[in-house]
Each structure stands twice: as C-alpha cells, then as structure tokens.
Amino acid sequence: MTPTSDAAEPDYLATRLTWMQQVGLHMRAHNSAPLNTRQMQRLTFARNNGLTPWEAFTQIVGTDHVQF
C-alpha cells in the first residue's frame, strides 16, 4: 500500500474560486433562494468595499432561516 499525499486531491479542490463563486457556495450550503436584483447590487457593493464572501452573505442574504 502506497501512502497518499495532498497532491492526490482532485484538481477542483486546488482551484481558486472567484468572490461570487464563494458566495454561491454559501448559498447552496444554506439552501438559499436565488438572489434578486437588489441583492446582487448589494453583493457587488460589498465586494468592492472589501467584505469577505461570508460577511456579505450573512449581511445581505442572511442566515436566520438556516437550520442544521
């Protein structure tokens, strides 16, 4: 049996996601409804103001409805 390393991880784990793709992952993970136009504008402003994708998601989309 040969030991595996981190190099054996799939390529998609090593790729960098864009800011909006990260927000999209948060939305899928929390089963959020699709964004409306106003939320998309607010996300763009948040990105331009230096917020992280998670901060923007919690402020604009919200996590109040999330249940684990």
Side-chain angles (χ1 to χ4, degrees), residues 28-68:
R28 282 198 319 215
H30 294 292
N31 219 8
S32 297
L35 297 174
N36 60 36
T37 304
R38 182 68 180 137
Q39 288 172 318
M40 287 296 289
Q41 289 172 340
R42 291 181 66 200
L43 281 174
T44 302
F45 293 140
R47 181 185 60 208
N48 293 342
N49 287 324
L51 264 64
T52 66
W54 176 248
E55 292 169 335
F57 174 78
T58 57
Q59 288 180 17
I60 296 166
V61 180
T63 57
D64 293 340
H65 61 282
V66 176
Q67 296 179 3
F68 292 101

